[in-house]
Amino acid sequence: MSGEFESIQGSKTIYMMDQKIVKPFIGSVPIDYEKYRTKMIKDENDNEVLRIDYDPSPGNSQQGGGGLMNRIAQMVEGLFNFKIGDLSGNYIYSVKSLNFMHKKHDFSVMNGDESEEKFKASHYLMNLAKEKVEVTDTNSNVLLRSEYRGFRKIIEVQDNNNNQVALLHAPIISMRDRWKMEFNGDCDRYMVLIMAAIMSEFGER
């Protein structure tokens, strides 16, 4: 495990932001922009320590019926796939979307080479414009959870005993822009980072 992977676990504050990139072209033909999306992770000293790379390969849709709708669901799901790694492209987690077009959107969180599922995550669309993200172990026991509304600027993350372990400061206008994560508990920073990345994507789409 690299130094970048180890250093984030003791951080009190980390930042996540979209890397500003120009849509690439080959001649006059635009390249698929989604393949070039990246989020950068910075520490409290503004040093880049990690990156989130998006993998738009098709998801594993659970949309019933097959045919065209299933293919469309797989294509859209792929937009939510991402990997967390160091600046050299060594990955510690790979997050894969499992279903789309549901009020509950499930994710599998695997190790970097995708040989083992480490835990799971789910995003819920609830009543009264409320949303929820949960991280569970492979037996579906809740480890971290957060309920919020999309326009909220401060989002609380709780552990399975309802203790607050982190506060996420999200942009009001665009949830993709810049996030500040403050930790006040002993929790896995990567789980919170994955939660924030999922919230960011659902806030934009």
Side-chain angles (χ1 to χ4, degrees), residues 104 120 134-143:
K104 180 185 178 188
K120 300 178 181 180
E134 287 185 343
V135 176
T136 66
D137 62 21
T138 54
N139 294 317
S140 299
N141 299 306
V142 175
L143 304 173

mmCIF file of all heavy atoms in Angstrom, residues 104 120 134-143:
data_model
loop_
_atom_site.group_PDB
_atom_site.id
_atom_site.type_symbol
_atom_site.label_atom_id
_atom_site.label_comp_id
_atom_site.label_asym_id
_atom_site.label_seq_id
_atom_site.Cartn_x
_atom_site.Cartn_y
_atom_site.Cartn_z
ATOM 1 N N LYS A 104 -33.575 2.771 -5.622
ATOM 2 C CA LYS A 104 -32.359 2.340 -4.941
ATOM 3 C C LYS A 104 -31.322 1.977 -5.994
ATOM 4 O O LYS A 104 -31.581 1.163 -6.867
ATOM 5 C CB LYS A 104 -32.636 1.132 -4.040
ATOM 6 C CG LYS A 104 -31.405 0.631 -3.296
ATOM 7 C CD LYS A 104 -31.701 -0.643 -2.520
ATOM 8 C CE LYS A 104 -30.449 -1.172 -1.823
ATOM 9 N NZ LYS A 104 -30.672 -2.505 -1.221
ATOM 10 N N LYS A 120 -20.209 -2.702 0.180
ATOM 11 C CA LYS A 120 -21.221 -2.273 -0.777
ATOM 12 C C LYS A 120 -21.682 -0.862 -0.425
ATOM 13 O O LYS A 120 -21.487 -0.392 0.695
ATOM 14 C CB LYS A 120 -22.426 -3.229 -0.743
ATOM 15 C CG LYS A 120 -22.093 -4.672 -1.087
ATOM 16 C CD LYS A 120 -23.331 -5.562 -0.979
ATOM 17 C CE LYS A 120 -22.996 -7.015 -1.289
ATOM 18 N NZ LYS A 120 -24.193 -7.894 -1.193
ATOM 19 N N GLU A 134 -25.866 4.772 1.915
ATOM 20 C CA GLU A 134 -25.400 3.845 2.950
ATOM 21 C C GLU A 134 -24.218 3.043 2.429
ATOM 22 O O GLU A 134 -24.181 2.681 1.250
ATOM 23 C CB GLU A 134 -26.505 2.858 3.348
ATOM 24 C CG GLU A 134 -27.602 3.455 4.180
ATOM 25 C CD GLU A 134 -28.605 2.414 4.642
ATOM 26 O OE1 GLU A 134 -28.636 1.297 4.060
ATOM 27 O OE2 GLU A 134 -29.359 2.709 5.585
ATOM 28 N N VAL A 135 -23.281 2.772 3.322
ATOM 29 C CA VAL A 135 -22.192 1.842 3.053
ATOM 30 C C VAL A 135 -22.370 0.659 3.985
ATOM 31 O O VAL A 135 -22.568 0.835 5.197
ATOM 32 C CB VAL A 135 -20.812 2.494 3.275
ATOM 33 C CG1 VAL A 135 -19.692 1.474 3.081
ATOM 34 C CG2 VAL A 135 -20.620 3.670 2.324
ATOM 35 N N THR A 136 -22.344 -0.546 3.431
ATOM 36 C CA THR A 136 -22.536 -1.758 4.234
ATOM 37 C C THR A 136 -21.389 -2.725 4.003
ATOM 38 O O THR A 136 -20.651 -2.617 3.010
ATOM 39 C CB THR A 136 -23.857 -2.464 3.871
ATOM 40 O OG1 THR A 136 -23.776 -2.948 2.516
ATOM 41 C CG2 THR A 136 -25.031 -1.505 3.989
ATOM 42 N N ASP A 137 -21.253 -3.685 4.920
ATOM 43 C CA ASP A 137 -20.304 -4.766 4.661
ATOM 44 C C ASP A 137 -20.956 -5.750 3.689
ATOM 45 O O ASP A 137 -22.087 -5.545 3.238
ATOM 46 C CB ASP A 137 -19.853 -5.431 5.961
ATOM 47 C CG ASP A 137 -20.995 -6.084 6.746
ATOM 48 O OD1 ASP A 137 -22.048 -6.377 6.141
ATOM 49 O OD2 ASP A 137 -20.828 -6.312 7.961
ATOM 50 N N THR A 138 -20.266 -6.817 3.359
ATOM 51 C CA THR A 138 -20.789 -7.751 2.357
ATOM 52 C C THR A 138 -21.985 -8.543 2.861
ATOM 53 O O THR A 138 -22.660 -9.207 2.076
ATOM 54 C CB THR A 138 -19.671 -8.715 1.896
ATOM 55 O OG1 THR A 138 -19.098 -9.354 3.043
ATOM 56 C CG2 THR A 138 -18.584 -7.957 1.155
ATOM 57 N N ASN A 139 -22.263 -8.452 4.174
ATOM 58 C CA ASN A 139 -23.455 -9.096 4.739
ATOM 59 C C ASN A 139 -24.600 -8.109 4.944
ATOM 60 O O ASN A 139 -25.564 -8.408 5.652
ATOM 61 C CB ASN A 139 -23.109 -9.764 6.073
ATOM 62 C CG ASN A 139 -22.147 -10.928 5.900
ATOM 63 O OD1 ASN A 139 -22.290 -11.732 4.983
ATOM 64 N ND2 ASN A 139 -21.142 -11.009 6.769
ATOM 65 N N SER A 140 -24.477 -6.929 4.356
ATOM 66 C CA SER A 140 -25.512 -5.885 4.391
ATOM 67 C C SER A 140 -25.689 -5.240 5.757
ATOM 68 O O SER A 140 -26.734 -4.644 6.037
ATOM 69 C CB SER A 140 -26.864 -6.432 3.887
ATOM 70 O OG SER A 140 -26.734 -6.873 2.543
ATOM 71 N N ASN A 141 -24.687 -5.330 6.628
ATOM 72 C CA ASN A 141 -24.711 -4.593 7.890
ATOM 73 C C ASN A 141 -24.231 -3.165 7.637
ATOM 74 O O ASN A 141 -23.167 -2.959 7.050
ATOM 75 C CB ASN A 141 -23.802 -5.269 8.924
ATOM 76 C CG ASN A 141 -24.246 -6.677 9.240
ATOM 77 O OD1 ASN A 141 -25.396 -6.906 9.611
ATOM 78 N ND2 ASN A 141 -23.344 -7.641 9.088
ATOM 79 N N VAL A 142 -25.013 -2.177 8.082
ATOM 80 C CA VAL A 142 -24.689 -0.778 7.803
ATOM 81 C C VAL A 142 -23.444 -0.351 8.576
ATOM 82 O O VAL A 142 -23.343 -0.554 9.786
ATOM 83 C CB VAL A 142 -25.875 0.133 8.154
ATOM 84 C CG1 VAL A 142 -25.491 1.603 7.989
ATOM 85 C CG2 VAL A 142 -27.077 -0.192 7.282
ATOM 86 N N LEU A 143 -22.496 0.261 7.868
ATOM 87 C CA LEU A 143 -21.280 0.800 8.477
ATOM 88 C C LEU A 143 -21.357 2.315 8.602
ATOM 89 O O LEU A 143 -21.040 2.874 9.645
ATOM 90 C CB LEU A 143 -20.055 0.402 7.640
ATOM 91 C CG LEU A 143 -19.858 -1.102 7.405
ATOM 92 C CD1 LEU A 143 -18.717 -1.352 6.437
ATOM 93 C CD2 LEU A 143 -19.616 -1.822 8.731
#
